[in-house]
Amino acid sequence: RALGALERGLQDTPFLVGGSLTIADIAVYAYGHRAEDCGFSLADYPAVSAWIDRVGGTIGSGYPVHPYSIDPHSGG
């Protein structure tokens, strides 16, 4: 349901709160860009996929991202 809500919300706007990146995008991106790692296919959510690419391109790389299976902060 969350991906569906994101898809509807991103149909007509490049970011969650309008035309520019906000803390809302960064907060949702933190987990949203890992959806496929958790078994959620983004194939049916083109607006979400484009948003993930847009946010990722805006914030850039250079921060550690671990798969959930080996994430040292996952508590597992």
Side-chain angles (χ1 to χ4, degrees):
R1 292 189 322 185
L3 287 171
L6 277 174
E7 182 69 19
R8 289 187 302 277
L10 291 164
Q11 293 282 322
D12 299 318
T13 184
F15 296 100
L16 294 176
V17 188
S20 60
L21 183 74
T22 67
I23 191 69
D25 294 288
I26 294 168
V28 174
Y29 175 83
Y31 288 98
H33 82 288
R34 304 304 298 273
E36 290 188 331
D37 292 349
C38 298
F40 296 96
S41 174
L42 296 178
D44 293 330
Y45 306 99
V48 173
S49 294
W51 170 79
I52 287 171
D53 291 343
R54 197 165 30 257
V55 173
T58 302
I59 63 174
S61 61
Y63 56 90
V65 177
H66 305 282
Y68 279 109
S69 61
I70 63 166
D71 186 341
H73 304 291
S74 68

